[in-house]
Amino acid sequence: WGTPWTPDEFVDRAVVAGHPAKLHSFLPLLLRDCIEKSLTKSCSQRMAHRAQALKHWLRRSIQLKHQEEELVRTLEPGVAEVLQGKRILVWKEMLQSINYSDMGVVDELCAGSRLTGQTDLTNLWPSKVTPATMTQGELHAQARLQRDGISFGQVVFFDSEIAHSVWDQTLQEVIRDEAEGPFDLSEVPSDFPLSRRFGVKQNGKIRCVDDFSWSGINAASQSRESPKPHTLDVVAAMISTVMGYAEGVSRSFDLRSAYRQCAVHPDSRQFSYIVVGDPHTSSLKAFRLKALPFGSVKSVHSFLRIAHSLFH
């Protein structure tokens, strides 16, 4: 066993060993390698590497321009409308160049994302089955019963400022071709569920949320994985690792209208209607979302799948 340590020796050795739950342990290996490769290079080396990569992909973007246009022409018209201008083939080649494991993400983007049914198995996240509690047939039956009971007070249950903002933002989505409407509720088939849209204040802004649980659509969704976005522990570990190399300036980026970059699958358009209160007339109007809604279980899975590939 050797000579016993003194209390001071024990403390010294414990400090050298470090805490078993130190921040660095929360950092994914891929992210750690990225930080190390970036920060162990000089500024000129980083700039040269990035310039070379940009030069290559800009060249490929030009070379693939006509093929990109041809691809969009083969897509279902409604999906093509949302994906117009996106460089899908360049993105696909980038994923192939790093041997990305989930190439099915390209097929989902091109086909559109479904709002009900079972999620695709991507093997990106831990396996966890959350079964659907409602069939599509039951969803349609519930929609018929729900339609006659929808009232203005059920949809607009917030203050006037939020109500006007939600209405105005929804009209802006129509102008940007992200949604269609407004429609009278009678214009929407009675067996099509209507999800209510409400607003929440975040950092001085009002964000629209589409309640797909209220309509029952989320109950008709079944997931087979549990997506795990990075938590604050990972962010703190990343900052700690970066500070271990050098002092620097950090920035965060927020994708503008991120969910609106992905189209709804043609088969799911019957489930993409939302109901919004018109504060000017105290009446209800329906809109059909062309792109992924913010508030659908399947939308979250599809968006995180696509985002994972973009930031991998």
Side-chain angles (χ1 to χ4, degrees), residues 3-18:
T3 305
W5 294 340
T6 67
D8 289 341
E9 288 176 329
F10 179 86
V11 171
D12 290 339
R13 289 174 180 265
V15 170
V16 172

Side-chain angles (χ1 to χ4, degrees), residues 198-210:
F198 61 90
V200 294
K201 287 187 177 181
Q202 290 183 337
N203 300 322
K205 297 181 179 180
I206 297 174
R207 171 174 292 205
C208 294
V209 177
D210 303 318

Side-chain angles (χ1 to χ4, degrees), residues 76-231:
E76 195 277 334
V79 174
E81 185 178 357
V82 176
L83 300 185
Q84 188 70 40
K86 293 177 174 54
R87 300 172 183 178
I88 299 172
L89 294 180
V90 174
W91 168 50
K92 182 178 181 179
E93 281 197 10
M94 287 180 172
L95 295 180
Q96 291 171 333
S97 71
I98 61 172
N99 297 317
Y100 189 66
S101 62
D102 179 30
M103 293 305 298
V105 67
V106 180
D107 297 329
E108 178 170 352
L109 183 75
C110 291
S113 298
R114 300 177 188 272
L115 301 179
T116 60
Q118 188 168 252
T119 61
D120 291 339
L121 194 61
T122 67
N123 295 314
L124 297 175
W125 302 292
S127 176
K128 181 182 178 181
V129 177
T130 304
T133 58
M134 185 181 295
T135 65
Q136 288 194 12
E138 292 170 335
L139 182 60
H140 286 302
Q142 176 180 284
R144 295 189 188 94
L145 297 174
Q146 178 199 47
R147 183 65 60 86
D148 293 335
I150 297 178
S151 66
F152 186 80
Q154 288 178 315
V155 178
V156 182
F157 52 88
F158 28 77
D159 61 44
S160 177
E161 178 192 3
I162 294 179
H164 279 82
S165 179
V166 168
W167 178 253
D168 292 341
Q169 288 185 58
T170 305
L171 294 181
Q172 286 299 313
E173 290 181 26
V174 174
I175 293 173
R176 294 193 301 267
D177 284 331
E178 297 170 357
E180 291 180 336
F183 306 110
D184 289 331
L185 300 196
S186 60
E187 297 180 73
V188 182
S190 60
D191 62 342
F192 284 13
L194 294 175
S195 301
R196 64 181 175 183
R197 168 170 284 190
F198 61 90
V200 294
K201 287 187 177 181
Q202 290 183 337
N203 300 322
K205 297 181 179 180
I206 297 174
R207 171 174 292 205
C208 294
V209 177
D210 303 318
D211 190 352
F212 275 62
S213 294
W214 186 72
S215 60
I217 292 175
N218 283 344
S221 305
Q222 179 165 303
S223 61
R224 294 188 285 174
E225 295 173 322
S226 179
K228 299 293 184 184
H230 288 166
T231 62

Side-chain angles (χ1 to χ4, degrees), residues 66-83:
H66 296 302
Q67 291 165 265
E68 296 275 17
E69 294 171 350
E70 184 61 33
L71 172 63
V72 172
R73 283 194 287 268
T74 66
L75 301 179
E76 195 277 334
V79 174
E81 185 178 357
V82 176
L83 300 185

